[in-house]
Amino acid sequence: MSARMKRGDQFLLLLLAAMVGAWGLLGAADVAKRTHAGFAIDGDFVITQISPGGPAERVRMQVGDRITRIDGIDAADTGNILRLPRVAAGERRSYTVTRGEQTIRYRPAFQPLDADVVAREYLSTVVGFAFLLIPLAACLTRPNAATRVLALMGLGASLAFFDGPYVASYDLRAVATVVAELFMLLGIAAAVHFLLVFPQTRPSIQKGWGKKLVYLPMLSFWALIAWRVLLTPPTSSIAVFTSQFISGLGITSYFLIGLFLLLRNYSRTDRQERRRLALNRMLWATVAAIIPTVVAKLVTLVSPHTPLPGQDEYFAFVALIPIAWSLSAARS
C-alpha cells in the first residue's frame, strides 16, 4: 500500500495543517482574555446554573430566571445578540429577566475564566495537536491509503478541540465558524472512511457511491449549521432542540458506525495480521479512549449531583486514538 505522495498533495496537506495549527495556537493565546458572567442557560433562555461566587450570584440572579433582553436587545434576536462586542474583565452587561410576575434588570461585572477552566482549555489544545500532528507525521513518513485518510481525519478532528481566537467582526467570525464546522464534520466522516480502507480496503469504498455515502450526510448536517450561523434566524427552544437533535443524531450515528467497523475489522483479521498491524493495541486504545467519557455521562444521567473526580478532563483520553491508529496505519 505504500506509495510516495505527490509534491503538490504534500504541500497542500502541510499548508492546511499549518493553518489549523495556527488557529489552535491563536485560540490558546486568547484564553486569558475570555470572561464569563457566571451562569448557563437552556434553549429557552432560562438560567439553569449559577456558578458559586460568580458575577451572576453576586448580583443575585437565580436559577429559573428567564432572560428576555440583553443590553436592550430581545434575547431571541440572534443576529444582533451575536454582534455584541466581547465583554472584557470588569465590564458589565445588562440582562433583563422575568421571575414569576416580576421583571428585573441585572448588570453583572464579568470576570476572567477560572484557573481550572483555563487549564482545561490548554489541555484541549494539547489534545487537538495530538490529532493534528501524529496522523500528519504518519502520512508524511509512511504514505499509503490509510495514513492519507487518517491525516484528513486529524485535520478535522483537531478543530473540535481548538476554539480559535476572538474575531471582532461577527461576519468574519461566522465564516470562520462555518469553515471550522465543515472541517470537523468531514474529519468525523474521514474516521469512518479510514476504517473502510484499513486494514483492508472494502469494495464499497473503491466505488464512487461508497465515498459519497460516507461524506454526503455530513455535508447535509453542515448545511444546517451554516444556515443557522450565517443567516442567524431567531432563536427558540424548538429551533435549538431541532438543530441539536439532528446534529447529535448524525454524529452519534457516525460514532456507532465507526465502532461497528472497528470491531468487524478486528474480528475478520487473522491473528498473524493483527499482530503485524498492532490491531490489538489499536482496539484497546480506542476502548480506553471512549470508556471514561461514556461512564461519566452515564453517572451524570443517573446521579447529576455526583460528579466523578476529574471528569471534566476525561476527554483527554481520546488522544490515544490518533496515536494508536497512526502507529497501526503506518505498518500497512
Side-chain angles (χ1 to χ4, degrees):
M1 286 178 69
S2 182
R4 291 184 62 186
M5 287 186 69
K6 293 180 181 179
R7 187 163 295 181
D9 293 341
Q10 188 179 65
F11 173 78
L12 178 60
L13 183 61
L14 288 171
L15 177 62
L16 289 173
M19 293 171 63
V20 172
W23 182 257
L25 289 175
L26 290 172
D30 190 60
V31 170
K33 300 178 183 178
R34 297 177 192 169
T35 59
H36 71 103
F39 66 83
I41 60 174
D42 63 14
D44 205 28
F45 307 103
V46 175
I47 295 177
T48 57
Q49 183 179 348
I50 299 286
S51 300
E57 185 181 71
R58 287 199 292 270
V59 297
R60 299 184 180 180
M61 296 174 78
Q62 297 180 13
V63 171
D65 289 348
R66 184 175 183 275
I67 297 174
T68 57
R69 303 188 77 80
I70 302 173
D71 276 354
I73 303 171
D74 190 313
D77 186 356
T78 308
N80 285 315
I81 292 296
L82 291 174
R83 284 171 171 79
L84 288 171
R86 180 167 70 173
V87 183
E91 293 182 349
R92 297 178 182 272
R93 176 155 284 170
S94 170
Y95 295 94
T96 302
V97 308
T98 56
R99 183 185 302 159
E101 299 296 323
Q102 294 180 291
T103 298
I104 311 169
R105 183 168 172 259
Y106 293 105
R107 297 187 72 247
F110 280 56
Q111 68 181 34
L113 298 179
D114 297 336
D116 60 334
V117 177
V118 172
R120 197 177 306 130
E121 291 291 330
Y122 289 147
L123 178 60
S124 180
T125 301
V126 172
V127 174
F129 274 104
F131 272 92
L132 177 65
L133 298 179
I134 296 173
L136 176 65
C139 180
L140 295 176
T141 57
R142 296 295 301 272
N144 58 54
T147 57
R148 288 172 184 171
V149 176
L150 200 60
L152 295 177
M153 183 202 80
L155 282 172
S158 63
L159 285 166
F161 301 94
F162 295 156
D163 280 339
Y166 173 73
V167 180
S169 167
Y170 174 72
D171 293 331
L172 290 178
R173 197 161 68 241
V175 171
T177 298
V178 167
V179 172
E181 290 287 346
L182 175 61
F183 270 74
M184 279 189 282
L185 293 177
L186 291 180
I188 294 171
V192 172
H193 185 182
F194 168 75
L195 294 169
L196 288 169
V197 299
F198 179 83
Q200 293 181 342
T201 301
R202 301 296 171 184
S204 59
I205 204 65
Q206 292 178 321
K207 301 174 183 178
W209 62 266
K211 292 181 181 178
K212 291 178 181 178
L213 196 60
V214 171
Y215 288 99
L216 284 180
M218 276 304 188
L219 290 176
S220 300
F221 300 138
W222 172 75
L224 173 63
I225 294 171
W227 170 72
R228 288 198 57 81
V229 173
L230 296 177
L231 300 183
T232 60
T235 300
S236 68
S237 56
I238 295 177
V240 171
F241 172 79
T242 302
S243 178
Q244 291 178 343
F245 176 78
I246 293 175
S247 299
L249 179 62
I251 293 173
T252 301
S253 298
Y254 272 77
F255 172 78
L256 293 175
I257 291 170
L259 187 60
F260 166 76
L261 290 174
L262 178 68
L263 295 173
R264 187 191 69 169
N265 290 346
Y266 181 84
S267 65
R268 292 187 177 183
T269 305
D270 62 57
R271 185 173 298 179
Q272 184 177 356
E273 192 71 355
R274 287 178 192 171
R275 186 180 300 110
R276 185 181 75 83
L277 297 175
L279 293 188
N280 289 321
R281 179 177 59 196
M282 178 178 165
L283 175 63
W284 289 112
T286 304
V287 171
I290 63 178
I291 285 297
T293 299
V294 171
V295 170
K297 292 290 185 183
L298 291 175
V299 170
T300 300
L301 287 174
V302 175
S303 180
H305 302 293
T306 311
L308 296 173
Q311 74 175 51
D312 290 337
E313 287 76 37
Y314 286 179
F315 71 89
F317 284 101
V318 298
L320 293 170
I321 290 177
I323 296 172
W325 289 23
S326 297
L327 290 172
S328 290
R331 294 186 174 202
S332 61

